[in-house]
Amino acid sequence: MSIRGKACIAGIYEHPTRKADGISLAQIHADVARGALADAGLSKNDVDGYFCAGDAPGLGPLNMVEYLNLRPRHVDSTDTGGSAYVLAVGHAAAAIAAGKCSVALITLAGRPRASGQTMVRPAATASPEAPFEAPFNPMVPTMYAAAARRHMYEFGTTSEQLAWIKVAASHHAQHNAQAMLRDVVTVEDVVNSPMIADPLHRLDCCVVSDGGGALIVVAPEVARSLKRPVVTLRGSGEAVKHSSGGKVDLTFTGAVWSGPTAFAEAGAAPGDIQYASIYDSFTITVLMTLEDLGFCAKGEGGRFVSDGNLISGRGRLPFNTDGGGLCNNHPGNRGGMTKVLEAVRQLRGEAHPAVQVPNCTLALAHGTGGSLGTRHGSATIILERE
């Protein structure tokens, strides 16, 4: 079933905190829900569908539905890490198209910074393969570093090329008052920052923040009754890439499958996209995703991202104009939510004036969840402003 044109994003909200001392996880979910509903011009009594992922406390939707005092007739708690909240938009649209709900609330919250967690944790936790992988002590940065090193070996990609992704993010973050890192950096700053996992430097890595966000996905007739710009879902795709029983190819991501599915449903091509929100846990994540989504050929990512090509107003593909996970906000390991939020801002014309893409009508948001070096989920959506 195609969901093209079957649902719209009517409300968005990003929590302003980056360190949630004294705020519970459930309270962040409630705060962002309230903010997104207010943005849409709706109330919680209008909500008949609720979506969350593994960041929700307790039993996910069971606890949050009670905490928020909702009466949904449809719930979904699919968890694919950083791709979960991009994927949730497609799932909400499918539920709306099937008549399961008409106003879907999607909430994300995370407190890794306040609770002292970091991104440096075992990447194979709880997976069936963990007993085989654990002796090698796989950590999140090392698994992404393995993909980066392989890309360098196969295609001649350089640290300086990866650094341009951080540089672009920093140019955008300087205009975001809530961004954790607002200083503009240079290629030299990135490659001279401490090595974390060869070849990834500290500035190749995302921030670790608290916070959250929420989305209101509604039926088209509901969207057109509200006093907000109509942002319609044109296409979505999702995929899982894994280690294939040991036949590991580190040169591509699951975006090679989720991207074409989304483009086909949208009736669009990469060249039509005016703005792209790309999950940026590490700089290598962005570079490989851009290749796999078709913005450039495989192996050409290094050249594509160089020389400011991702900087709004300067390059041909503005990306992550809020500063992204590299500079702004990465609440837990599910930063895909922020990718959808900024894509909607761009389509509404509500991004910061310094980074707003003129007359932006078609945007893409992509999430990656898991590890490029082992197994991960990929989700891609294409959004259009009516």
Side-chain angles (χ1 to χ4, degrees):
M1 176 185 68
S2 173
I3 58 174
R4 179 175 176 176
K6 302 292 180 63
C8 305
I9 297 179
I12 62 171
Y13 186 78
E14 181 176 356
H15 206 287
T17 189
R18 299 296 179 264
K19 194 168 191 294
D21 291 326
I23 310 175
S24 72
L25 200 62
Q27 184 60 56
I28 296 174
H29 276 278
D31 288 345
V32 297
R34 183 185 299 111
L37 285 166
D39 181 59
L42 295 167
S43 77
K44 70 180 183 66
N45 294 330
D46 296 309
V47 174
D48 58 356
Y50 178 68
F51 295 72
C52 64
D55 55 276
L59 294 176
L62 301 187
N63 295 82
M64 289 312 307
V65 163
E66 179 176 12
Y67 189 84
L68 299 173
N69 194 24
L70 302 175
R71 293 288 181 184
R73 53 194 181 95
H74 183 78
V75 296
D76 187 326
S77 58
T78 303
D79 191 356
T80 54
S83 59
Y85 286 98
V86 180
L87 178 147
V89 175
H91 284 200
I96 290 169
K100 299 293 185 182
C101 60
S102 59
V103 177
L105 167 64
I106 307 172
T107 65
L108 154 77
R111 297 184 70 255
R113 192 176 176 207
S115 59
Q117 299 174 25
T118 70
M119 290 294 288
V120 184
R121 63 185 185 280
T125 301
S127 71
E129 294 81 7
F132 302 96
E133 297 173 352
F136 300 95
N137 195 26
M139 308 297 280
V140 172
T142 59
M143 292 294 95
Y144 282 80
R149 179 56 69 191
R150 189 66 191 182
H151 204 277
M152 289 177 168
Y153 174 81
E154 293 285 349
F155 307 115
T157 308
T158 67
S159 291
E160 287 76 13
Q161 290 172 331
L162 287 176
W164 270 108
I165 298 169
K166 177 73 169 195
V167 171
S170 74
H171 272 267
H172 299 149
Q174 68 177 314
H175 304 293
N176 184 349
Q178 296 172 350
M180 284 186 65
L181 304 178
R182 295 188 65 190
D183 292 339
V184 175
V185 300
T186 65
V187 169
E188 291 72 23
D189 291 333
V190 179
V191 298
N192 290 328
S193 64
M195 188 71 75
I196 299 301
D198 190 14
L200 299 179
H201 302 82
R202 178 185 291 167
L203 294 183
D204 285 299
C205 308
C206 70
V207 300
V208 176
S209 73
D210 299 341
L215 299 162
I216 306 295
V217 183
V218 302
E221 60 270 20
V222 175
R224 296 185 181 103
S225 72
L226 304 172
K227 298 178 181 179
R228 300 298 284 134
V230 177
V231 174
T232 303
L233 182 65
R234 273 188 55 170
S236 71
E238 58 191 71
V240 174
K241 185 197 172 194
H242 51 77
S243 55
S244 300
K247 297 177 182 178
V248 183
D249 185 343
L250 296 179
T251 64
F252 71 94
T253 74
V256 299
W257 301 307
S258 66
T261 300
F263 279 116
E265 186 169 55
D272 300 321
I273 301 298
Q274 297 164 283
Y275 167 79
S277 279
I278 306 294
Y279 191 86
D280 52 346
S281 48
F282 298 88
T283 52
I284 186 61
T285 316
V286 176
L287 186 147
M288 292 178 62
T289 301
L290 289 170
E291 292 178 342
D292 295 337
L293 289 175
F295 290 109
C296 60
K298 177 55 64 179
E300 295 293 321
R303 284 178 283 277
F304 183 82
V305 302
S306 294
D307 302 320
N309 196 39
L310 302 180
I311 300 175
S312 185
R314 175 175 165 180
R316 63 177 180 174
L317 184 66
F319 104 118
N320 295 10
T321 46
D322 61 343
L326 287 170
C327 295
N328 170 33
N329 186 16
H330 195 284
N333 65 341
R334 295 173 177 85
M337 168 66 79
T338 61
K339 302 299 165 268
V340 183
L341 297 177
E342 186 67 4
V344 173
R345 291 189 196 106
Q346 281 286 350
L347 291 169
R348 288 176 167 184
E350 296 173 354
H352 190 282
V355 298
Q356 176 67 53
V357 176
N359 302 311
C360 186
T361 58
L362 197 65
L364 175 147
H366 179 86
T368 303
S371 168
L372 294 191
T374 51
R375 58 204 60 83
H376 61 269
S378 294
T380 310
I381 58 172
I382 297 172
L383 302 169
E384 181 180 36
R385 185 190 72 211
E386 288 192 0

